[in-house]
Amino acid sequence: MSATSEADPSKTARPLLTTVAIVASCVAFVVIGALQALYGPAIPALREEFGISPAVAGLSLSAHFIGALLGVLIYHVLRGRRSNRTLLGGSYLLMAAGAALFAFSPSWILALTGTFVIGLGFGGIDYGLNQLFAIGFGRRSTAMLNLLNGHFGVGAIAGPALIGWLGADSYPEIFVGIGIVCLLILLTLGGVAAREPEPDVTEGEEARGARVLPVIAAFIGIYVLHVAIETGVGGWEPTHLEAVGYGAATAATATSAYWAAMTIGRFVIVPLSLRWSAPSILTVCCAGMAAFLVLATIPAVAPYAYFGVGLMIAPIFPTCLPWLNRAVPSVAAAGAYVIAASMIGGVAFPPLLGGVIDTMDVRAAPLVLFALAVICVGLSLWLRKHAPDPDGAAAPRPEALPDAVPTQGIQG
């Protein structure tokens, strides 16, 4: 797949990702989605094998997220010193090695070490590919990022389903299989550009320097809060639905539907993002989250309302990242900040929300989450005013897009 430079269409520019690399990246996101979702279903087998309590077994996910956070930061620090191929290749190798260690570990300490190593690679892949997709497709970056992250949801659904089909005792074989897939993806790294183009910082951007920190802070706020809502619904929906009269089976099914909506929403937004600007999508999604959370307080429609919340949350993460890069091109670390913040939010907010909800009736859970959604609405409106996105607005219709993918690529 070829591309032309947006700065000078007469010159040929190498794409940041070729077609093969794009497909491999989507497979990689299926893999990391499955990995994150596999620990919970594997807990019964881990408890039996190592003789540990449920709480101790749950440390596997904590070790994974700590590793992932460090993986994001390490990838960012090395990003200017090593090529994309080296960093992505190292991340895939870490995931493969960690998966093998976790699968064949003779002790719980070594198994935890394996999950930490998996997390290091996970963080690198999550940050590295999101960043490449955010800058590599011009106006279509929002669509491509939603497509990429939609595959994460496919993996998150497929991983537990695979455990359910093969049995929890088969988790070593599943992790080994995932490691083999990571090694196979290494063969596609030739389709990844070694370096990214230098950001195009205009005089207008330099003049807006005083607003850079507030803009980044607003994006971080949205990332942290929408992840808090995402995990809050996932954790409290079953309990809330049972409290308002639904059976355990119905509550579990509705919660599964909510997670499925997170995947569906990202695929649905792909064509819409070619017509709507990122600020418009964000504002609609934040307002939609708030509206559906209010509806979730009505028992008769609560399961359907939670499905709507999932649809609204889905596009936020992949839609904001290209906008952030365009809003503050002079801050190379902005993407690392928000991705790391989203991971911290996913770890820190569940116990905080649990503590708040425990002091209230569980029926108030949607209202607690609604309050967070209202803050997201306020932040989205502030960003529309203070970080306009002219490059992402009024995108051409799909049929008007050129065959070549605009990449802001490297002169070849």
Side-chain angles (χ1 to χ4, degrees), residues 35-354:
L35 276 171
Q36 182 172 310
L38 279 171
Y39 296 111
I43 281 179
L46 293 173
R47 291 184 59 198
E48 182 177 349
E49 180 174 356
F50 297 109
I52 53 179
S53 67
V56 173
L59 291 175
S60 57
L61 192 57
S62 299
H64 171 91
F65 273 111
I66 292 171
L69 180 59
L70 288 176
V72 170
L73 300 177
I74 291 170
Y75 193 109
H76 173 70
V77 169
L78 296 178
R79 191 170 149 216
R81 308 174 193 175
R82 298 288 186 271
S83 72
N84 291 318
R85 296 171 192 165
T86 299
L87 293 175
L88 289 173
S91 298
Y92 287 125
L93 286 173
L94 283 170
M95 285 203 297
L101 180 58
F102 184 71
F104 298 118
S105 177
S107 70
W108 176 238
I109 295 298
L110 284 177
L112 272 183
T113 303
T115 63
F116 175 78
V117 174
I118 289 172
L120 286 174
F122 177 105
I125 295 301
D126 189 22
Y127 172 59
L129 291 180
N130 269 310
Q131 195 67 19
L132 282 172
F133 273 64
I135 66 175
F137 297 92
R139 287 179 173 178
R140 292 197 288 185
S141 287
T142 298
M144 294 301 292
L145 261 178
N146 275 282
L147 179 68
L148 178 71
N149 283 273
H151 285 84
F152 183 97
V154 171
I157 294 170
L162 196 59
I163 284 274
W165 179 41
L166 298 177
D169 291 339
S170 298
Y171 81 86
E173 290 83 359
I174 295 173
F175 273 82
V176 168
I178 285 176
I180 292 172
V181 173
C182 290
L183 294 178
L184 292 175
I185 294 175
L186 291 173
L187 302 176
T188 70
L189 290 179
V192 178
R195 301 286 178 185
E196 301 163 21
E198 291 296 322
D200 182 17
V201 182
T202 65
E203 292 182 3
E205 167 60 27
E206 292 175 352
R208 295 195 302 268
R211 290 208 302 265
V212 166
L213 290 180
V215 166
I216 294 176
F219 275 107
I220 289 176
I222 286 175
Y223 269 68
V224 170
L225 292 175
H226 98 273
V227 170
I229 295 169
E230 174 187 327
T231 56
V233 172
W236 286 96
E237 179 183 356
T239 304
H240 174 250
L241 290 179
E242 289 186 44
V244 297
Y246 290 92
T250 300
T253 301
T255 304
S256 297
Y258 161 76
W259 289 114
M262 294 281 294
T263 300
I264 295 169
R266 285 171 177 166
F267 287 117
V268 168
I269 206 67
V270 169
L272 298 179
S273 65
L274 297 173
R275 293 171 171 80
W276 289 6
S277 68
S280 296
I281 292 172
L282 176 64
T283 303
V284 169
C285 287
C286 290
M289 277 195 306
F292 279 116
L293 285 167
V294 170
L295 287 176
T297 62
I298 305 172
V301 298
Y304 309 101
Y306 282 125
F307 184 85
V309 174
L311 290 176
M312 293 295 105
I313 291 175
I316 293 178
F317 181 100
T319 296
C320 283
L321 200 54
W323 179 15
L324 171 65
N325 279 282
R326 291 189 291 264
V328 288
S330 60
V331 184
Y337 293 156
V338 297
I339 292 175
S342 70
M343 292 181 177
I344 293 172
V347 174
F349 261 88
L352 291 176
L353 288 172

Side-chain angles (χ1 to χ4, degrees), residues 381-406:
L381 293 174
W382 187 89
L383 283 169
R384 283 179 70 101
K385 180 179 180 181
H386 296 280
D389 185 26
D391 291 337
R397 294 173 61 85
E399 59 267 25
L401 289 170
D403 292 334
V405 178

